[in-house]
């Protein structure tokens, strides 16, 4: 699926999670420590504030 949005490395740790009933994939770049989230349903990037608001709710 994804490369790091920051450094374009494909060496990512991927963890599938569910947020508010929606499947998402958390990616952690081994190269630059960037963290990113993708919707598992449509592959769109999720912005971190959106993710955090879902976690908090
Ligand atoms: Zn990176």
């Amino acid at each position: 699926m994804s490369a790091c949005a920051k450094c374009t490395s494909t060496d990512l740790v991927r963890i599938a999670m569910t947020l508010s009933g929606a499947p998402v994939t958390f990616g952690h770049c081994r190269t630059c420590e960037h963290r990113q989230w993708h919707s598992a349903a449509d592959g769109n990037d999720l912005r971190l504030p959106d993710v955090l608001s879902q976690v908090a709710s």
Side-chain angles (χ1 to χ4, degrees):
M1 163 172 67
S2 54
C4 174
K6 188 173 182 181
C7 75
T8 71
S9 169
T10 55
D11 189 9
L12 303 179
V13 178
R14 295 182 182 86
I15 302 171
M17 301 180 67
T18 301
L19 291 180
S20 304
V24 300
T25 303
F26 170 69
H28 179 204
C29 179
R30 295 180 194 265
T31 303
C32 75
E33 304 292 315
H34 180 69
R35 291 172 171 82
Q36 59 191 19
W37 300 81
H38 298 273
S39 167
D42 57 18
N44 286 341
D45 291 346
L46 299 174
R47 289 180 299 113
L48 192 57
D50 295 340
V51 174
L52 294 178
S53 67
Q54 291 184 48
V55 171
S57 62

